[in-house]
Every structure is written in structure tokens, then in C-alpha cells.
Amino acid sequence: MLPDEAKWLGTVLSTVDPHSISPILNVGASTEKFRREIQPWINEFVIAPATRNGIRFIHADIKKDVGIDISGDLTDPHFLETLASLQLKSILCANLLEHVEDRMAICRALEGVLEPGGLLIVTVPYRYPYHPDPIDTGFRPTPEELFTFFPNCSIATSTILPCGTYLNRLLADRSLFAKTLLRLSVPFYRPRSWWNAARYLPWLFKQYRVTCVVFQRR
């Protein structure tokens, strides 16, 4: 998740009655360390203010780790039954759909476990470099294209959000800037790692953009 994307999500959550969207399932939430240390803006702009406002998060991921409340596969019917029993009033699905093979199955699962009238908040890169986790399918939809995957929902609001450049990110994080310079200076050491760093160079001045959509379950 990018910082500007986190700010947009925080704004969305702050404009909704907390009781109408809580609990919120955070799908692909990763670990507490990821949300607080690796990408601290997730906690700063999304989790912490929403929690203070009375919104309860249920952090879900396919792996088990610290900070993950419930783990399972969204294509597993038994796991979906567990999610449905939670009476979810909203779902946050941020930067997940470009990393799954059966995208339609995941989208149907999310619709299926969400209560009618609930919000489904989805973000997906629109213009962003290849980033496998563990795969990147290259899914870069517009809001209208994303809507086709959620036929049982309507669009409450949508945007293609500008989120800065790779240079902006480097200048904002001195540690990342230093690590990137060091990594690029030795291309023959661990060449795959070098390529992972080098593929971002064309994006030094190219604006990242993220498709952000708030759906409402019919």
C-alpha cells in the first residue's frame, strides 16, 4: 500500500458511521510488523484512527503470524463459512487482486461473505511496476473494469488516485534511499535481487496511480 492510498482509505473510513461498517474484514492484511514497521502509514492513516473511532478490524491472511486474527484460503468453502458467521458489515481488500490466479473466485467469495448493504472497499494498482507477491498477474483495471468482478454490488464512489513517484518514495525514506543505492552499485552480487531494485528505476519520475473503489453490496 502506498502512503497516499492509505490516506484515501483513512478518509473514506472517517466519513462513515463506525457502527454501520464494523466489524471490517481486512483481507490480505499481512502481519502486525508489516502494518506498523514495514509500511507504517497503514497503521498511521488507516488502522489507528479508525480504531479510535470505534471501528473493529478483523485482520485476515492466508498465512498465520502475529497480528493476523484469522487465517485461511478464500477459495476454501469451510473458511468462507467461518467468515460468513462473523456478520461482516464491511471488507477492505487492498492490493490483493493483482496477486491471485483465480481473481473471479476471490471476488465472488468477498461478495458472498459480506452482509447486504455492507461496504466493500477495494484498491488495485492502475499504473505501477511489476511486483510479485508471490506473483503479479499484471491486473491494472479502471474502476469500471473492476466493477465487472462484483456484479452483486453497486459503486458508491471511485477514483484513480495519483500516489507520487518512486523518487518521492526514496526521498521520503532515507533508509530505503541508501539501501537502493548500495544495491544498484553491485549488479553482479545476487543479480535477481539487483533486478528487483532496478525495475523501479523507470518509475523515478512516472506517477504511480491506484484504482480505488467503494462498492456497496446489494
Side-chain angles (χ1 to χ4, degrees), residues 23 48 55-56 59 62 86-87 102 104 106 130 143 149-150 153:
I55 296 174
R56 179 169 67 91
H59 300 296
I62 197 168
L86 299 176
Q87 298 181 312
D102 194 345
M104 182 58 78
I106 299 299
Y130 176 77
F149 288 86
F150 298 98
C153 292

Side-chain angles (χ1 to χ4, degrees), residues 141-174:
T142 63
E144 293 75 20
E145 290 167 338
L146 187 59
F147 174 61
T148 64
F149 288 86
F150 298 98
N152 297 305
C153 292
S154 58
I155 295 180
T157 186
S158 67
T159 187
I160 296 179
L161 187 71
C163 291
T165 66
Y166 185 49
L167 181 60
N168 294 145
R169 186 178 176 190
L170 291 176
L171 293 176
D173 188 336
R174 293 182 181 180

Side-chain angles (χ1 to χ4, degrees), residues 70-183:
I70 184 169
S71 59
D73 188 335
L74 286 170
T75 62
D76 178 1
H78 297 294
F79 181 59
L80 295 180
E81 288 178 6
T82 300
L83 293 181
S85 71
L86 299 176
Q87 298 181 312
L88 300 168
K89 293 185 179 179
S90 54
I91 296 175
L92 172 59
C93 177
N95 302 289
L96 173 68
L97 296 181
E98 75 272 26
H99 298 303
V100 297
E101 292 181 343
D102 194 345
R103 188 178 309 115
M104 182 58 78
I106 299 299
C107 295
R108 287 174 178 169
L110 295 177
E111 282 191 330
V113 300
L114 182 62
E115 290 195 335
L119 297 185
L120 176 55
I121 307 168
V122 184
T123 68
V124 187
Y126 176 70
R127 193 163 71 178
Y128 194 80
Y130 176 77
H131 58 295
D133 185 25
I135 64 170
D136 181 354
T137 63
F139 186 53
R140 304 292 190 270
T142 63
E144 293 75 20
E145 290 167 338
L146 187 59
F147 174 61
T148 64
F149 288 86
F150 298 98
N152 297 305
C153 292
S154 58
I155 295 180
T157 186
S158 67
T159 187
I160 296 179
L161 187 71
C163 291
T165 66
Y166 185 49
L167 181 60
N168 294 145
R169 186 178 176 190
L170 291 176
L171 293 176
D173 188 336
R174 293 182 181 180
S175 176
L176 177 63
F177 185 73
K179 289 177 181 177
T180 300
L181 283 181
L182 180 62
R183 174 64 279 201

